[in-house]
Amino acid sequence: RDHCMRDEQRRRLSIVIVALGLVVAACSGDPTTGYFSDVRGVNQTYITEVADLVRVGPSSSADDLRDFFAERTDALAEAVDGLGQIAPPDEYVAAHNRFMDGLAQFADLSEAIAAESQNLQTNDDVRSLAVHPVFGMGPSRELEAAFVDACLVLQGMADETGATVDLACEDLS
């Protein structure tokens, strides 16, 4: 009879230990899921900040361009800073850095365009900037596509882990 009671106590203790282990695991969170959630948070903040910006192009006014690039540059700088504060798990460091570097290059170009837009006075100036080989729409689209592609690589990694998080990569452009 003592033997049966000890087995029952061991079984209960084992159940309590397993339950405590599950509670501790749930409270500590999965670092992979936490990482992807943090990246999504940065992306969502950027998307929200640029959502209300008036889109610009070759037919935009010089004032619209100045406003757009100043505001977008600020939002991009915050996104780069936000990504820089996230410590990815080791297996995601290279992809994270590629995404962050691509976003930083895009932010640098946006900042350069913002500076160039200060010199715009006429509609011809705006059109010239739009087709400029360094500050124009072509180089801007290429850099934007590169960081979105880098984000999509991270999304693929998240999907492979079974993380149910949408990094909203397509909404970044």
Side-chain angles (χ1 to χ4, degrees):
R1 182 167 194 200
D2 287 339
H3 178 53
C4 290
M5 285 191 54
R6 284 189 208 139
D7 287 343
E8 182 65 25
Q9 289 173 336
R10 283 186 201 142
R11 190 178 67 76
R12 286 183 186 164
L13 184 58
S14 295
I15 291 172
V16 169
I17 290 172
V18 169
L20 284 173
L22 291 173
V23 168
V24 169
C27 291
S28 66
D30 177 15
T32 299
T33 302
Y35 164 70
F36 288 120
S37 293
D38 290 346
V39 171
R40 177 180 169 69
V42 169
N43 289 354
Q44 281 301 133
T45 299
Y46 171 75
I47 291 164
T48 300
E49 288 180 6
V50 298
D52 293 332
L53 294 182
V54 175
R55 296 295 170 199
V56 294
S59 61
S60 299
S61 73
D63 287 337
D64 286 344
L65 259 92
R66 281 189 278 276
D67 292 344
F68 174 84
F69 284 105
E71 291 179 39
R72 184 177 78 174
T73 299
D74 289 344
L76 285 165
E78 287 179 28
V80 171
D81 287 345
L83 288 175
Q85 293 177 20
I86 298 171
D90 291 342
E91 62 269 28
Y92 305 115
V93 169
H96 177 87
N97 289 342
R98 182 173 160 222
F99 177 44
M100 193 170 71
D101 291 346
L103 193 61
Q105 289 175 11
F106 189 64
D108 289 346
L109 178 60
S110 185
E111 184 176 20
I113 296 170
E116 281 294 314
S117 71
Q118 298 304 310
N119 301 320
L120 301 177
Q121 296 178 5
T122 68
N123 289 344
D124 286 339
D125 293 341
V126 171
R127 283 189 290 279
S128 292
L129 182 63
V131 296
H132 192 278
V134 175
F135 305 115
M137 293 170 60
S140 183
R141 285 186 183 136
E142 288 174 16
L143 285 177
E144 186 175 42
F147 85 77
V148 169
D149 287 347
C151 181
L152 290 170
V153 168
L154 282 174
Q155 181 66 62
M157 294 173 139
D159 294 345
E160 286 175 7
T161 68
T164 55
V165 64
D166 177 6
L167 300 180
C169 300
E170 294 87 2
D171 298 331
L172 293 172
S173 61

